[in-house]
Amino acid sequence: MRAVLVVNPKATTTSERSRDVLVRALRSQVDLSVRYTRRRGHATDLAREAAQEGVDLVVTLGGDGTVNEVVNGLMTAEPPTIRTGGSPADRLPALATVPGGSTNVFARALGLPREWADGTSMILEGLRLGRSRTIGLGRADDRYFTFCAGFGLDAAVINRVEQARRRGRVSSPSLYFRSTLSHYFLGAHRRHPAISLERPGESAEGELGTVIIQNTAPWTYLGDREVNPNPEASFDLGLDVLALRQLRVASTTRTVTQLLSRHPDPHGKQVLRLHDLEEFTLVSARPQAFQLDGDYLGERHKVRFTSVSGALRVIC
């Protein structure tokens, strides 16, 4: 089996020594080539090249951002003709993810341990036993995502966190909490919701303040704790949505409390939840912050979301 390991050398929870251990472990199972990312977006190029070379497996060592880039490289590649036929997922290399970031939502949603060493051990076992599954992805316009997207408040918070990390701050639950409070009270146009959700054949849902989209559960983690607006979201179904109609202090506080409860069930007049959607579009009267898989992508007026079933085979 030919494999490529795509390494983000800035992965927060691994060192050069641990990378060497990982490479030796993988080479005991596969014919491995190691490629390092040098800039944002480089993992997409490396994964696309690997798929076009006809490799059987692409392994990522990095966080959710690295995974997202690799997935987009695989999904936009033109594999060799020997891979034509069968399901779409069969035409592409399989994906294995070694957790190396600060949160690793995608890997943990697949059931992998949080630590890279334990995750590596489980991946090696999956390779030995031929254990894999096919998952669906989400697509926002022309870009794929694995577990979540955001339009509005949560994306704006991610932008603040990324700016803080560039100034040397360490990613932590407390940093996210402070960034959320700061944006909510100082930066958000929360009194004038401007987002509409449009679905084919349905009336539009208007005056939404912020929208969270899930392709699986959970949405994210605070340390070891799941944050799960839509617990029924699944890689095997369409997209799930949680939107808040108004970002008033009382209703928003109530929804956040519901989200953080042991059995989350956000509800109320200001809450819109939709399950297993194949297609919808978010439109805003003013530009909104936009993120995919925890990666801030700037501001948008409009984004079309679709569910892509049976898109990718993963080692689990």
Side-chain angles (χ1 to χ4, degrees):
M1 176 184 287
R2 295 172 57 214
V4 168
L5 172 63
V6 177
V7 178
N8 177 359
K10 297 181 180 180
T12 57
T13 61
T14 60
S15 63
E16 185 174 354
R17 180 178 178 277
S18 62
R19 291 196 292 269
D20 290 341
V21 171
L22 169 63
V23 169
R24 288 197 298 271
L26 288 172
R27 280 184 171 153
S28 70
Q29 299 283 331
V30 298
D31 177 10
L32 185 70
S33 171
V34 182
R35 302 174 188 180
Y36 291 86
T37 63
R38 297 191 299 270
R39 61 185 184 277
R40 185 168 181 170
H42 192 199
T44 298
D45 297 334
L46 295 176
R48 186 180 296 118
E49 291 168 3
Q52 291 168 347
E53 291 167 8
V55 304
D56 304 293
L57 174 70
V58 175
V59 185
T60 66
L61 175 59
D64 290 310
T66 303
V67 174
N68 179 276
E69 289 189 12
V70 165
V71 166
N72 275 275
L74 294 177
M75 295 300 296
T76 56
E78 296 182 6
T81 55
I82 58 173
R83 287 189 179 276
T84 59
S87 70
D90 292 334
R91 299 172 194 157
L92 297 172
L95 172 70
T97 300
V98 177
S102 57
T103 310
N104 305 303
V105 178
F106 177 68
R108 293 160 77 180
L110 289 172
L112 295 173
R114 187 175 182 182
E115 300 300 324
W116 73 267
D118 295 332
T120 300
S121 178
M122 186 170 289
I123 287 169
L124 291 173
E125 180 181 294
L127 289 173
R128 285 194 300 270
L129 299 176
R131 190 171 59 206
S132 67
R133 64 177 290 193
T134 300
I135 64 169
L137 299 171
R139 188 168 61 210
D141 290 337
D142 59 354
R143 181 155 175 172
Y144 294 87
F145 61 98
T146 63
F147 64 91
C148 82
F151 196 66
L153 176 61
D154 86 302
V157 170
I158 286 173
N159 183 33
R160 284 179 176 257
V161 169
E162 288 185 359
Q163 291 175 346
R165 292 181 66 180
R166 286 194 288 270
R167 296 193 298 268
R169 301 292 297 277
V170 176
S171 179
S172 66
S174 62
L175 177 59
Y176 277 90
F177 181 72
R178 291 193 300 271
S179 299
T180 300
L181 289 180
S182 176
H183 185 80
Y184 180 79
F185 286 108
L186 300 177
H189 299 276
R190 56 190 179 86
R191 297 183 183 277
H192 306 286
I195 303 170
S196 294
L197 186 151
E198 301 173 355
R199 290 179 287 167
E202 302 283 348
S203 299
E205 298 281 358
E207 296 188 336
L208 304 176
T210 190
V211 184
I212 289 169
I213 301 97
Q214 286 179 245
N215 185 50
T216 191
W219 167 50
T220 191
Y221 289 86
L222 288 177
D224 291 328
R225 186 170 187 172
E226 294 182 357
V227 182
N228 216 350
N230 295 291
E232 295 182 351
S234 169
F235 287 126
D236 300 320
L237 299 173
L239 302 174
D240 279 25
V241 168
L242 171 75
L244 301 185
R245 299 183 186 279
Q246 300 281 344
L247 295 176
R248 296 174 179 144
V249 173
S251 61
T252 303
T253 301
R254 182 170 58 251
T255 302
V256 170
T257 302
Q258 293 169 348
L259 284 177
L260 298 178
S261 67
R262 186 178 297 274
H263 302 288
D265 182 26
H267 59 276
K269 291 190 299 182
Q270 304 302 330
V271 176
L272 171 68
R273 288 174 67 186
L274 300 170
H275 176 59
D276 193 17
L277 301 183
E278 294 298 319
E279 176 187 348
F280 62 92
T281 301
L282 297 179
V283 182
S284 178
R286 58 174 177 271
Q288 299 289 333
F290 171 55
Q291 65 90 5
L292 294 180
D293 288 344
D295 190 10
Y296 179 68
L297 298 178
E299 294 185 334
R300 304 282 180 90
H301 279 281
K302 180 178 181 180
V303 183
R304 179 175 178 262
F305 290 88
T306 53
S307 174
V308 184
S309 63
L312 197 63
R313 187 165 51 90
V314 295
I315 306 299
C316 56

